[in-house]
Amino acid sequence: MANDNKKFQAIISHCKEYGFIFPSSEIYDGLSAVYDYGQYGSELKKNIKDYWWKSMTQLHENIVGIDAAIFMHPTTWKASGHVDNFSDPMIDNKDSKKRYRVDHLIEGFAEELEAKGELERAKEILAAMDKLIAASDFDGLKKLIEDNKMKCAVSGTSNWTDVRQFNLMFSTEFGSTASADEEDNKIYLRPETAQGIFVNFLNVQKTGRMKIPFGIAQIGKAFRNEIVARQFIFRMREFEQMEMQFFIKPGSQKEWYEFWKAERMKWHLSLGIEKEKYRFHDHVKLAHYADAACDIEYDFPIGFKEVEGIHSRTDFDLRNHQEYSKKKMQYFDNDLGPDGKPIGNYIPYVIETSIGLDRMFLLIISNSYTEEDLGTPEKPDSRVVLKLPVKLAPIKLGIFPLTKKDGLPEIAKQIMDNAKNSFRCFYEEKDAIGKRYRRMDAIGTPFCATVDHQTKEDNTVTIRYRDSMLQERVDVHKLIEIVEKQIF
Ligand code: GAP
């Protein structure tokens, strides 16, 4: 899809207007690249988490979950390589003082070329960038930017500094006493949840009597001091990850890497999203811990972008934690080897699946956001509807009395009381019924039930379906069953 900035801006406005996402501390003009989830956003986010958690842990008998702390011993980040390697090449514009991640600046420029129809030149520039990044050739990257006269969006000039590396980890001080040596108290906000899994690898393996291959899953906050282009929740400084480390026998990594690529794509498609909206992108420059890696990319309104990473992390992390902590990070394998004896001790290899919860949220909203023209030349009409997967919708059933009198609210409230134990419902009696339906469309509620005078006679209600807008009469007692069928 071409870059559809108009749709992207419409989604951002919609998320704010309907209580999905607000800028953080908005009354103080917000905080760059930090967002709060509102009443419907937090429900949708929780439903995405639950769907991932269930599919990873409940449906894979050899995967268990943990919830590790955000703060970790500072040596963790030396062992993991983040202190030395978790940096991106950046460049500053000398006039605006604005800092850019080099790859974002170049990719943005290539997207502008594509929009102008200069596809070949865009391709050449991206290929050149990939090569220069893979070779860590910073002078070459600066030359690529200057030769193509790439400009700062703020100053409009091409007056650039040299390209330099900046570490993306946030740090803070630990403990109450200020130390003369600040480094003594320095602690990091985790930039990935994965390390909480690695340092607990043996705790879980031993207490859970886990046998390789097995996985440990976790959902939690991560923090990165991103140099941000305005991309809403696509790139945040505080975000959530849903990660799973799968511990395997050394030598079996290729097979398990392919397994998890297929398995994760299956998960995405299980939400009813078209296959064509996804693609794999193999990494050219591998992270410091990986021997193979790819992204699952989705066709966002801002173009195809990464939503999930699948990484073959070798034994890099466990081996380094063993070295730095001086504690054995090994597994004793009882299985028999070719010589008929137990295979014995080894440091397992790891395949990681890592998906950004906020990015998955943006994916779901982008995929669901639909503007529909329902009018005729005589009677213009339109609606915005979020065609969310039923499982993920914040509210499953809207319940409305047609009028505020004749005992209809009492019946509707009784239906609400019966249904709310099973799923999230929303009761409303204000405004015309059409307006109430449209408000439910805008937050993605898949079903609405309207109580009218006929309900008093035959115990039926009108059920209205969000996507087709079709309405039919159903027995009140069938309502819960109809909705539940679509949720599970
Ligand atoms: N443990 C591996 C790891 O963290 P990553 O590719 O850096 O790998 C994994 O991040 C996922 O986390 C990404 O695919 C993306 O969905 C999400 N993510 C990373 N940085 C993010 C940011 N600044 N804002 C929102 N999501 C982010």
Side-chain angles (χ1 to χ4, degrees), residues 192 224 226 234 236 241 243 306-307 313 352 354 356:
E192 62 170 9
R224 295 182 189 179
E226 299 277 9
F234 182 80
M236 303 161 88
Q241 289 185 315
E243 300 202 295
E306 170 188 354
V307 64
R313 285 181 83 128
E352 166 184 74
S354 174

Side-chain angles (χ1 to χ4, degrees), residues 33 82 86 101 168 191-195 198 222-226 228 232-245 283 287 289 294-296 300 305-311 313 352-360:
H82 284 80
F86 194 56
R101 249 177 73 170
L168 299 182
E192 62 170 9
T193 60
Q195 295 306 323
F198 286 122
F223 304 83
R224 295 182 189 179
N225 201 358
E226 299 277 9
V228 206
F232 192 39
I233 57 167
F234 182 80
R235 199 174 303 287
M236 303 161 88
R237 291 197 165 111
E238 174 181 340
F239 58 100
E240 259 179 283
Q241 289 185 315
M242 305 190 286
E243 300 202 295
M244 193 277 300
Q245 318 299 131
H283 286 199
Y289 49 70
C294 68
D295 298 332
I296 295 180
F300 287 98
K305 302 247 182 248
E306 170 188 354
V307 64
E308 173 158 7
I310 296 157
H311 312 126
R313 285 181 83 128
E352 166 184 74
T353 71
S354 174
I355 176 168
L357 174 55
D358 311 86
R359 256 184 222 182
M360 190 61 203

Side-chain angles (χ1 to χ4, degrees), residues 43-55:
E43 289 284 343
L44 173 54
K45 195 175 175 198
K46 184 178 173 302
N47 292 343
I48 297 172
K49 269 194 231 189
D50 290 348
Y51 189 59
W52 183 88
W53 188 259
K54 182 176 171 194
S55 74

Side-chain angles (χ1 to χ4, degrees), residues 152-410:
C152 165
V154 177
S155 67
T157 69
S158 305
N159 192 11
W160 299 107
T161 61
D162 287 342
V163 174
R164 283 171 293 176
Q165 291 277 35
F166 286 89
N167 195 293
L168 299 182
M169 279 197 293
F170 281 104
S171 63
T172 184
E173 276 167 39
F174 203 62
S176 53
T177 47
S179 158
D181 183 357
E182 278 178 16
E183 286 301 310
D184 283 356
N185 286 347
K186 190 167 171 180
I187 193 156
Y188 296 101
L189 271 71
R190 65 181 179 197
E192 62 170 9
T193 60
Q195 295 306 323
I197 294 179
F198 286 122
V199 299
N200 279 298
F201 153 70
L202 275 185
N203 284 338
V204 174
Q205 190 271 319
K206 288 195 169 133
T207 56
R209 290 179 293 118
M210 308 298 290
K211 216 171 144 11
I212 272 180
F214 73 92
I216 305 178
Q218 178 170 216
I219 301 176
K221 290 262 182 176
F223 304 83
R224 295 182 189 179
N225 201 358
E226 299 277 9
I227 303 299
V228 206
R230 267 171 281 119
Q231 287 175 311
F232 192 39
I233 57 167
F234 182 80
R235 199 174 303 287
M236 303 161 88
R237 291 197 165 111
E238 174 181 340
F239 58 100
E240 259 179 283
Q241 289 185 315
M242 305 190 286
E243 300 202 295
M244 193 277 300
Q245 318 299 131
F246 198 69
F247 298 91
I248 53 171
K249 237 182 239 160
S252 64
Q253 65 267 33
K254 278 210 173 84
E255 174 197 326
W256 283 112
Y257 177 64
E258 292 306 325
F259 173 87
W260 279 108
K261 270 177 76 172
E263 194 71 4
R264 291 305 304 147
M265 186 57 95
K266 237 194 281 165
W267 181 85
H268 283 273
L269 298 180
S270 73
L271 286 165
I273 299 165
E274 306 98 292
K275 220 169 155 198
E276 295 67 40
K277 291 256 181 179
Y278 282 105
R279 71 182 185 196
F280 283 109
H281 168 77
D282 291 324
H283 286 199
V284 182
K285 184 172 195 292
L286 293 171
H288 57 273
Y289 49 70
D291 73 353
C294 68
D295 298 332
I296 295 180
E297 292 188 340
Y298 171 79
D299 191 4
F300 287 98
I302 46 174
F304 265 104
K305 302 247 182 248
E306 170 188 354
V307 64
E308 173 158 7
I310 296 157
H311 312 126
S312 173
R313 285 181 83 128
T314 66
D315 61 357
F316 177 91
D317 301 87
L318 290 181
R319 185 172 289 284
N320 279 354
H321 285 307
Q322 175 168 290
E323 193 183 316
Y324 277 80
S325 69
K326 310 274 182 272
K327 309 269 168 27
K328 284 228 174 324
M329 298 299 268
Q330 294 179 3
Y331 170 81
F332 185 82
D333 199 330
N334 275 317
D335 283 356
L336 302 182
D339 57 0
K341 293 184 185 150
I343 295 170
N345 281 312
Y346 57 78
I347 299 178
Y349 269 41
V350 170
I351 303 296
E352 166 184 74
T353 71
S354 174
I355 176 168
L357 174 55
D358 311 86
R359 256 184 222 182
M360 190 61 203
F361 185 108
L362 182 60
L363 183 160
I364 291 292
I365 290 272
S366 304
N367 201 65
S368 308
Y369 180 90
T370 315
E371 292 174 4
E372 283 180 352
D373 185 355
L374 306 170
T376 57
E378 300 78 45
K379 201 169 166 238
D381 190 15
S382 65
R383 71 166 180 162
V384 172
V385 52
L386 292 186
K387 297 188 173 179
L388 296 170
V390 175
K391 293 181 187 45
L392 303 184
I395 307 283
K396 310 295 186 211
L397 179 66
I399 302 170
F400 310 138
L402 186 63
T403 65
K404 286 187 203 168
K405 48 186 202 276
D406 302 333
L408 302 187
E410 287 73 12

